[in-house]
Amino acid sequence: MFSWIKNKWNSFMNNEELKRKIYVIIFEADTPLGKAFDVALIVCIVLSVLIVIMESVISHKLVGLSMRIVEWVFTVFFTLEYLMRLYCAKNPRKYVFSFFGIIDLLATLPAYLGIFFAGAQSLMVIRVFRIIRIFRIFKLFSFLKEGQLLLRALYDSGRKIVVFFLFVLVLVISIGTVMYLVEGDVEGSSFNNIPNSIYWAIVTMTTVGYGDITPVTPLGRFLCACVMLLGYTILAVPTGIVSASMIKTGGKKDEKPCPHCKRVGNEPDAVYCKYCGKFLEEIEY
Amino acid sequence: MFSWIKNKWNSFMNNEELKRKIYVIIFEADTPLGKAFDVALIVCIVLSVLIVIMESVISHKLVGLSMRIVEWVFTVFFTLEYLMRLYCAKNPRKYVFSFFGIIDLLATLPAYLGIFFAGAQSLMVIRVFRIIRIFRIFKLFSFLKEGQLLLRALYDSGRKIVVFFLFVLVLVISIGTVMYLVEGDVEGSSFNNIPNSIYWAIVTMTTVGYGDITPVTPLGRFLCACVMLLGYTILAVPTGIVSASMIKTGGKKDEKPCPHCKRVGNEPDAVYCKYCGKFLEEIEY
Amino acid sequence: MFSWIKNKWNSFMNNEELKRKIYVIIFEADTPLGKAFDVALIVCIVLSVLIVIMESVISHKLVGLSMRIVEWVFTVFFTLEYLMRLYCAKNPRKYVFSFFGIIDLLATLPAYLGIFFAGAQSLMVIRVFRIIRIFRIFKLFSFLKEGQLLLRALYDSGRKIVVFFLFVLVLVISIGTVMYLVEGDVEGSSFNNIPNSIYWAIVTMTTVGYGDITPVTPLGRFLCACVMLLGYTILAVPTGIVSASMIKTGGKKDEKPCPHCKRVGNEPDAVYCKYCGKFLEEIEY
Amino acid sequence: MFSWIKNKWNSFMNNEELKRKIYVIIFEADTPLGKAFDVALIVCIVLSVLIVIMESVISHKLVGLSMRIVEWVFTVFFTLEYLMRLYCAKNPRKYVFSFFGIIDLLATLPAYLGIFFAGAQSLMVIRVFRIIRIFRIFKLFSFLKEGQLLLRALYDSGRKIVVFFLFVLVLVISIGTVMYLVEGDVEGSSFNNIPNSIYWAIVTMTTVGYGDITPVTPLGRFLCACVMLLGYTILAVPTGIVSASMIKTGGKKDEKPCPHCKRVGNEPDAVYCKYCGKFLEEIEY
């Protein structure tokens, strides 16, 4: 009987026809069934996340228990779906280490961890990342293209932003220490150690300003005013970086290669290629 | 006698001459009477909104009662005006479902709802939207053009902003849950459930920073600092989007098509068309 | 003896030579004496403003009295200086109604008003506006040019900003009223009337976020989160307006007219005029 | 024996071979030994800063004592390193007054000052500035280039920002005084003197909004709303300045002079010089 199971398993694992059928349903959204599956998946994800969020609010025992049960139904469904994806993926290894592969795994793990560690099941909200699939269902590839433009603009500015943050880090450590020296000795001061002062410096320079830690001495308030005006000015730097990058990226997105010399870089309104001088094809809008 | 009323009503409803006269007064602002009507309307709107606002402050009985009476005078006036507009509109159906048609209806409804539901009359402040008509009275069409440019810049960036907000939503749900796990167990913590933690995440990432919910544990403060620096960086993204869009829109607004080849795209100061080389007509400033 | 005084006065008032000498000293900064006068004036202004500020802190009687005396010395000095300016100005009427003429008058008035109304002398800090004269002393006309560029950028965006603020006003009145309806009934709520709720809406949408008024109900917090995200987005609008305007203004400032056709508009790096095709003179940097 | 020491000292001080060897190790990062030294240095700096920060948190006596000892080990190491740098520098005078020379000195001084003045050793966090050397170790010159671009953009906007801050200073002093007059008389008000009111004005206009000082009277709240909307608008100014400058600088950074006519200004993707029409050399990416 064991060999019979083994045979069945082998024929199941090598059933390329079945794999292809399931692949079309769960990986694509072109067929009615594939689209229905994706819509159902999004609904499950949203419901599941809402339940995790609501569970932290409700203290009623019976409601809590029924929520737990629904949660486990979703978890089992997501686990089966994950195994299905592994089964029918053209390259299972590649899927496992892809962005969505990791998210799909992380979406099920916390529920199982929650058996051993109390609280871990709250991490199930990570499922919310799976919602990004929504773009595929509605064929909103152009939306994703916008997202890619945003990411490209951020990536292009990446090095500038790294340098900027290193500078900010050096600055908040220095400012935090100075404020600790100035305000630390005041009775009942919240600047009671350097980490708290650094936290205050970050709260102030990002203009968040909770007000849980505020200076009370005249000198402290004067320094604080300087820090705020400094934060005001350097707030402009990341905005400037991203704006400049976005204007540049935005300016580039209409470019397409010349049909003759294949070089990219002509402005969107050019009639003749500026590299080879030949007539560019009419651009349809 | 009923048929006499019916006859009068019919002749009134079909009196095109009267309709045209009223139309000129309440829909246009070119005649002295039309202008006077519009100015009176704006004054009524401002007074009416001010009374609704003041009513929430004053607890004196007699003053409150007299305010109520004035409110009802305005409401009756606005209702009559709405019926008048319906009567004389060239296409009543189109007016009812236009932006101003809906606002005009919403401006009168809350008063009548207030008879049945206490508090509903405060919604009368929606009348403030009718103030947008001010642009028509003073013939400030160019102001409206500026507004349209703003709206166009926002609309052009619409898809980018939708993607951005979906990303922010996914982010604040994840951050809120992590903070709930980190800070939720502290005695008397305000991170007592996930919705509150998400609210905190939004308060922090938008740099509003009320300070009604703040982390107190060292780990919580460290995570909070990371969230603030993240919010600082991504604050730059919508600004960059709108700036880039506004620079693009601003650059385009002076362009007009070449009178010879009908192509759009010459810079505002060009004398010869850059596509066909012919002389562009003199542009008057 | 009265006629003797009258004669002296007339000859003094018509002494054009004396007027010219005083004019060079107090209105110009080219001669050593004129420069010394202006430096002394700035020092007096700074000291005088510092004394007004410090007076609000110090409660010691003797120190307060001596400060009052110093204040009056400065006030008498500024009053005499104002009369001098009136005396020697080429066109006294024009001076009185100029920006600096009004500031110079406002700088002395509060001290005299302070005799009758307690507290009015604090308004003497308006003298701080006279400090703008500092640019003239150090011949920092280029700094003023930068300031004019800033003002021009703000002025160019003026109409867009007016439309934007009208929109914000309509928005905060509506949002404030909705929050008053949602949160107003809660025991001890700070949303106790519509003006307070509008104040809260402005505090939130500008991302200032004092935290003196915060929502406590779940619905209130949800609406608050929406308002914050809205504020986050529309914060980008004025920044975009000013950025776009500044880039435009900045781009224009390097342009100078063609020496042949006198038309302005060639790009800073052009060699041949794009309007008449003639050779542009070498531009020195 | 004294002359023997003197001889040894002189030969040590003039041992150019040794100087060159040490120079390669501590000033450069091309050899394995030089790189190892720099990595060790960064590790020491980070550890040393972390210890200073942690020392302000920990109150345990024994741990505090051992931290002190480690601190002194680092201080002695940094002092020796500073002397070494002085010894082997090609131009010691130039090193002492260079940016890193001053930072290296300031990194050791506070420890010695801490013997005489309690608290001074907290200033050792200034060592964090030495971390900027990290760019050299990893040969991240391009990162430094990005940093220089940031600094150039800030420097180019320097004058505009100076004018802007003078304007902000005049504004906050005036606003602070007006709020002191309006809110100062209220029982238990935090607007109890002008410096506090100015501090509040800065907290508000930078949109930090701690909430430690907030208006309570209706007039105060109305003025506060105006100040916030004003701050909202002028927040756009520095952002606009830096954005405009960064777009300009960013546009310029890819330009290099034409090899034929030596003029700068061709766009990065040009093949033929736009000034002399000759073929530009191939640009390697």
Side-chain angles (χ1 to χ4, degrees):
Chain A
M1 189 213 156
F2 177 78
S3 73
W4 180 79
I5 289 174
K6 204 184 163 186
N7 270 346
K8 277 280 172 204
W9 178 253
N10 276 344
S11 71
F12 173 70
M13 286 310 283
N14 295 315
N15 190 337
E16 296 302 325
E17 178 65 19
L18 184 69
K19 275 189 183 177
R20 213 185 43 77
K21 271 185 185 163
I22 297 175
Y23 183 87
V24 168
I25 293 171
I26 68 175
F27 272 104
E28 286 173 10
D30 299 317
T31 57
L33 212 64
K35 197 159 186 173
F37 177 82
D38 274 348
V39 169
L41 191 63
I42 296 284
V43 171
C44 287
I45 292 164
V46 170
L47 281 178
S48 154
V49 168
L50 281 179
I51 282 170
V52 174
I53 291 174
M54 290 321 290
E55 207 185 352
S56 75
V57 181
I58 288 152
S59 57
H60 191 282
K61 267 199 175 175
L62 210 69
V63 178
L65 192 74
S66 53
M67 275 182 165
R68 275 290 166 89
I69 292 164
V70 178
E71 242 179 63
W72 274 106
V73 171
F74 282 128
T75 302
V76 169
F77 171 69
F78 289 141
T79 310
L80 284 177
E81 186 222 335
Y82 183 68
L83 294 174
M84 279 306 217
R85 280 178 194 272
L86 268 186
Y87 166 66
C88 73
K90 280 158 189 168
N91 184 345
R93 196 189 187 88
K94 201 179 153 193
Y95 165 68
V96 167
F97 293 102
S98 72
F99 175 72
F100 276 119
I102 291 162
I103 291 292
D104 291 353
L105 183 64
L106 290 177
T108 55
L109 274 188
Y112 299 108
L113 283 173
I115 303 170
F116 308 104
F117 309 99
Q121 74 268 24
S122 292
L123 288 173
M124 280 192 276
V125 291
I126 215 164
R127 284 169 187 174
V128 84
F129 278 101
R130 299 192 71 193
I131 263 173
I132 299 169
R133 283 220 170 81
I134 208 165
F135 291 122
R136 205 188 50 201
I137 309 172
F138 298 110
K139 300 275 170 215
L140 302 174
F141 293 112
S142 56
F143 272 64
L144 278 179
K145 209 179 134 195
E146 301 291 342
Q148 277 170 0
L149 274 173
L150 283 188
L151 282 181
R152 183 144 50 112
L154 279 175
Y155 183 82
D156 286 356
S157 334
R159 294 208 304 195
K160 277 203 199 78
I161 286 172
V162 164
V163 172
F164 177 71
F165 269 111
L166 202 104
F167 172 70
V168 167
L169 197 75
V170 166
L171 215 60
V172 293
I173 291 176
S174 311
I175 290 167
T177 307
V178 170
M179 283 304 277
Y180 166 68
L181 290 175
V182 169
E183 289 268 331
D185 294 332
V186 177
E187 187 78 32
S189 167
S190 301
F191 293 89
N192 51 354
N193 56 49
I194 294 178
N196 275 355
S197 297
I198 292 172
Y199 164 76
W200 167 87
I202 295 173
V203 167
T204 301
M205 291 205 40
T206 55
T207 76
V208 171
Y210 286 133
D212 51 349
I213 305 177
T214 51
V216 290
T217 62
L219 180 57
R221 288 191 163 177
F222 175 74
L223 287 174
C224 178
C226 297
V227 171
M228 283 184 285
L229 290 174
L230 188 68
Y232 201 67
T233 312
I234 71 170
L235 187 70
V237 172
T239 309
I241 292 171
V242 176
S243 290
S245 167
M246 217 159 268
I247 288 159
K248 229 174 143 189
T249 313
K252 270 186 194 155
K253 79 172 165 177
D254 291 310
E255 293 169 3
K256 62 173 208 175
C258 164
H260 304 285
C261 71
K262 310 296 179 203
R263 289 201 59 179
V264 178
N266 280 303
E267 284 144 66
D269 60 1
V271 174
Y272 295 95
C273 174
K274 71 176 169 185
Y275 300 113
C276 63
K278 286 191 184 134
F279 188 65
L280 289 167
E281 280 170 29
E282 200 58 57
I283 301 153
E284 62 270 36
Y285 285 100
Chain B
M1 189 216 157
F2 176 78
S3 72
W4 179 80
I5 290 175
K6 202 182 164 187
N7 271 345
K8 276 279 173 205
W9 178 253
N10 276 343
S11 71
F12 173 70
M13 286 310 283
N14 295 313
N15 189 339
E16 295 303 324
E17 177 65 20
L18 184 68
K19 275 189 185 179
R20 212 185 46 74
K21 271 185 185 163
I22 297 175
Y23 183 87
V24 168
I25 293 171
I26 70 174
F27 271 103
E28 286 172 12
D30 299 316
T31 57
L33 213 63
K35 197 160 186 172
F37 176 83
D38 274 347
V39 169
L41 192 63
I42 295 283
V43 170
C44 287
I45 293 164
V46 170
L47 282 177
S48 153
V49 168
L50 281 180
I51 282 169
V52 175
I53 290 174
M54 290 322 291
E55 207 185 350
S56 75
V57 181
I58 288 152
S59 57
H60 191 283
K61 268 198 175 176
L62 210 70
V63 178
L65 192 74
S66 53
M67 276 181 164
R68 276 289 168 91
I69 292 163
V70 178
E71 243 179 62
W72 274 106
V73 171
F74 282 128
T75 302
V76 168
F77 171 69
F78 290 140
T79 311
L80 284 176
E81 186 222 333
Y82 183 69
L83 294 175
M84 279 308 216
R85 279 178 194 273
L86 268 186
Y87 167 67
C88 71
K90 281 157 188 168
N91 185 344
R93 195 187 187 86
K94 200 179 151 193
Y95 165 68
V96 168
F97 294 102
S98 71
F99 174 72
F100 276 119
I102 291 162
I103 291 292
D104 289 354
L105 183 64
L106 289 177
T108 54
L109 274 188
Y112 299 108
L113 284 172
I115 303 170
F116 308 104
F117 309 99
Q121 75 268 25
S122 293
L123 288 173
M124 279 192 276
V125 289
I126 215 165
R127 283 169 186 173
V128 84
F129 277 101
R130 300 192 71 191
I131 263 174
I132 299 169
R133 283 219 169 82
I134 208 166
F135 290 122
R136 205 187 52 200
I137 307 170
F138 297 110
K139 300 274 171 217
L140 301 174
F141 294 112
S142 57
F143 272 63
L144 278 179
K145 208 178 134 196
E146 301 290 343
Q148 278 170 358
L149 274 173
L150 283 189
L151 282 181
R152 181 141 54 110
L154 279 175
Y155 182 82
D156 286 355
S157 334
R159 294 208 304 194
K160 278 204 199 77
I161 286 171
V162 164
V163 173
F164 177 71
F165 268 111
L166 201 104
F167 172 70
V168 167
L169 198 74
V170 166
L171 214 61
V172 294
I173 291 175
S174 311
I175 290 168
T177 308
V178 170
M179 283 303 276
Y180 167 66
L181 291 176
V182 169
E183 289 268 332
D185 293 332
V186 177
E187 187 77 33
S189 167
S190 301
F191 293 89
N192 51 353
N193 56 49
I194 294 179
N196 275 356
S197 298
I198 293 172
Y199 165 75
W200 167 86
I202 294 172
V203 167
T204 302
M205 291 205 40
T206 55
T207 76
V208 171
Y210 286 135
D212 51 350
I213 305 177
T214 51
V216 290
T217 63
L219 180 58
R221 288 191 163 176
F222 175 75
L223 288 174
C224 178
C226 296
V227 171
M228 283 184 285
L229 290 174
L230 188 68
Y232 201 68
T233 312
I234 70 169
L235 186 72
V237 172
T239 309
I241 293 171
V242 176
S243 290
S245 167
M246 216 158 267
I247 287 159
K248 226 174 144 189
T249 313
K252 267 187 195 153
K253 78 173 168 177
D254 291 310
E255 292 170 4
K256 61 174 209 174
C258 164
H260 303 283
C261 69
K262 311 294 179 204
R263 290 202 56 181
V264 178
N266 280 302
E267 284 144 66
D269 58 3
V271 175
Y272 294 95
C273 174
K274 70 176 168 183
Y275 299 113
C276 63
K278 284 187 186 140
F279 187 66
L280 290 167
E281 282 170 27
E282 200 58 58
I283 302 152
E284 62 271 32
Y285 286 99
Chain C
M1 189 215 157
F2 177 77
S3 73
W4 179 80
I5 288 173
K6 201 182 165 189
N7 271 345
K8 276 281 172 202
W9 177 253
N10 277 344
S11 72
F12 173 70
M13 285 311 282
N14 295 315
N15 190 339
E16 295 302 324
E17 177 66 17
L18 184 68
K19 275 190 185 178
R20 211 184 47 74
K21 270 186 186 163
I22 296 174
Y23 183 86
V24 169
I25 292 171
I26 70 175
F27 272 102
E28 286 173 12
D30 299 316
T31 56
L33 212 64
K35 197 160 187 173
F37 176 82
D38 275 347
V39 170
L41 191 63
I42 296 283
V43 170
C44 287
I45 293 163
V46 170
L47 281 177
S48 153
V49 168
L50 282 180
I51 282 170
V52 174
I53 290 174
M54 290 322 292
E55 206 185 353
S56 75
V57 182
I58 287 153
S59 57
H60 190 283
K61 267 197 176 176
L62 211 70
V63 178
L65 192 74
S66 53
M67 276 182 163
R68 275 291 168 88
I69 293 164
V70 179
E71 242 180 64
W72 273 106
V73 171
F74 282 128
T75 302
V76 169
F77 171 69
F78 290 140
T79 311
L80 284 177
E81 185 222 332
Y82 183 68
L83 294 175
M84 278 307 217
R85 280 179 193 272
L86 268 186
Y87 167 65
C88 72
K90 280 157 189 167
N91 184 346
R93 195 187 188 87
K94 199 179 152 194
Y95 166 68
V96 168
F97 294 102
S98 72
F99 175 73
F100 277 119
I102 291 161
I103 291 291
D104 290 353
L105 184 63
L106 289 177
T108 53
L109 274 189
Y112 299 109
L113 284 172
I115 303 170
F116 308 105
F117 309 99
Q121 75 269 24
S122 293
L123 288 173
M124 278 192 277
V125 289
I126 216 165
R127 283 169 187 173
V128 84
F129 277 101
R130 301 191 69 192
I131 264 174
I132 299 169
R133 283 218 170 83
I134 209 166
F135 291 121
R136 203 186 55 200
I137 307 171
F138 296 110
K139 301 275 172 214
L140 300 174
F141 293 112
S142 57
F143 272 63
L144 278 179
K145 210 179 134 196
E146 301 290 342
Q148 278 171 358
L149 274 173
L150 283 189
L151 282 180
R152 181 141 54 109
L154 279 175
Y155 182 81
D156 286 355
S157 334
R159 293 208 304 194
K160 279 204 199 77
I161 286 172
V162 164
V163 173
F164 177 72
F165 268 111
L166 202 104
F167 172 71
V168 167
L169 197 75
V170 166
L171 214 62
V172 293
I173 290 174
S174 311
I175 290 168
T177 307
V178 170
M179 282 304 277
Y180 166 67
L181 291 175
V182 170
E183 289 267 333
D185 294 332
V186 177
E187 186 78 31
S189 168
S190 301
F191 293 90
N192 51 354
N193 56 49
I194 294 179
N196 275 355
S197 297
I198 292 171
Y199 164 75
W200 167 87
I202 295 172
V203 167
T204 301
M205 292 207 36
T206 55
T207 77
V208 170
Y210 285 135
D212 50 350
I213 304 177
T214 52
V216 290
T217 63
L219 180 58
R221 287 190 165 178
F222 174 75
L223 288 174
C224 177
C226 296
V227 171
M228 283 184 285
L229 290 174
L230 187 69
Y232 201 67
T233 311
I234 70 171
L235 185 72
V237 173
T239 309
I241 293 170
V242 176
S243 290
S245 168
M246 217 159 268
I247 288 159
K248 225 172 144 188
T249 313
K252 268 185 195 154
K253 81 173 166 175
D254 291 309
E255 292 168 4
K256 62 173 209 174
C258 163
H260 303 284
C261 69
K262 310 294 178 204
R263 289 201 58 179
V264 177
N266 280 302
E267 285 144 66
D269 60 1
V271 174
Y272 295 95
C273 175
K274 70 176 169 186
Y275 301 112
C276 63
K278 285 189 186 139
F279 187 67
L280 290 166
E281 281 171 28
E282 200 58 59
I283 302 152
E284 62 271 31
Y285 286 100
Chain D
M1 189 216 159
F2 176 79
S3 74
W4 180 80
I5 289 173
K6 202 182 164 188
N7 271 345
K8 277 282 170 199
W9 177 252
N10 276 343
S11 71
F12 173 70
M13 286 311 283
N14 295 315
N15 189 340
E16 295 301 324
E17 178 64 17
L18 184 68
K19 275 189 185 177
R20 212 184 46 74
K21 271 184 186 163
I22 297 175
Y23 183 86
V24 169
I25 293 171
I26 68 176
F27 272 103
E28 287 172 11
D30 300 316
T31 57
L33 212 64
K35 197 160 187 174
F37 176 82
D38 274 348
V39 169
L41 192 63
I42 296 285
V43 170
C44 288
I45 293 164
V46 170
L47 281 178
S48 152
V49 168
L50 281 180
I51 282 171
V52 174
I53 290 173
M54 291 321 291
E55 208 185 353
S56 75
V57 182
I58 289 153
S59 57
H60 190 283
K61 266 198 177 177
L62 210 69
V63 178
L65 193 74
S66 53
M67 277 182 163
R68 275 291 167 87
I69 293 164
V70 179
E71 241 179 64
W72 274 106
V73 171
F74 282 129
T75 302
V76 168
F77 171 69
F78 290 141
T79 311
L80 284 176
E81 185 222 332
Y82 183 68
L83 295 176
M84 279 308 217
R85 280 179 193 273
L86 268 186
Y87 166 66
C88 72
K90 280 159 189 166
N91 185 345
R93 196 188 188 86
K94 200 180 153 193
Y95 165 69
V96 168
F97 293 103
S98 71
F99 175 72
F100 276 118
I102 292 162
I103 291 292
D104 290 353
L105 184 62
L106 289 177
T108 54
L109 274 188
Y112 299 109
L113 284 172
I115 303 170
F116 308 105
F117 309 100
Q121 74 269 23
S122 294
L123 288 173
M124 279 192 276
V125 290
I126 216 164
R127 284 170 187 173
V128 84
F129 276 102
R130 298 192 71 192
I131 264 174
I132 299 170
R133 283 218 170 84
I134 210 166
F135 291 123
R136 206 187 51 201
I137 307 172
F138 297 109
K139 300 275 170 214
L140 302 173
F141 293 112
S142 56
F143 272 64
L144 278 178
K145 211 179 134 195
E146 300 291 343
Q148 278 170 358
L149 275 172
L150 283 188
L151 282 180
R152 183 143 51 112
L154 279 175
Y155 182 82
D156 285 356
S157 334
R159 294 208 303 197
K160 279 203 198 78
I161 287 172
V162 164
V163 173
F164 177 71
F165 268 111
L166 202 103
F167 172 70
V168 168
L169 197 75
V170 166
L171 215 61
V172 293
I173 290 175
S174 311
I175 291 167
T177 307
V178 170
M179 283 304 277
Y180 166 69
L181 291 175
V182 170
E183 289 268 332
D185 293 332
V186 177
E187 187 79 31
S189 168
S190 300
F191 292 89
N192 51 354
N193 56 48
I194 294 178
N196 275 355
S197 297
I198 293 172
Y199 164 76
W200 167 86
I202 294 173
V203 167
T204 302
M205 292 208 36
T206 56
T207 77
V208 170
Y210 285 134
D212 50 350
I213 305 177
T214 51
V216 289
T217 62
L219 180 57
R221 287 191 164 177
F222 175 73
L223 288 174
C224 177
C226 297
V227 170
M228 283 183 284
L229 291 174
L230 188 68
Y232 201 66
T233 312
I234 71 170
L235 186 72
V237 173
T239 309
I241 293 170
V242 176
S243 289
S245 168
M246 217 158 269
I247 288 158
K248 226 173 145 189
T249 313
K252 269 186 194 155
K253 79 173 164 173
D254 291 311
E255 292 168 3
K256 63 173 209 175
C258 164
H260 304 284
C261 70
K262 310 296 178 203
R263 290 201 58 180
V264 178
N266 280 302
E267 285 144 66
D269 60 2
V271 175
Y272 295 95
C273 175
K274 70 175 171 187
Y275 300 114
C276 63
K278 285 189 187 140
F279 186 66
L280 290 167
E281 281 170 28
E282 200 58 58
I283 302 153
E284 64 269 33
Y285 285 99

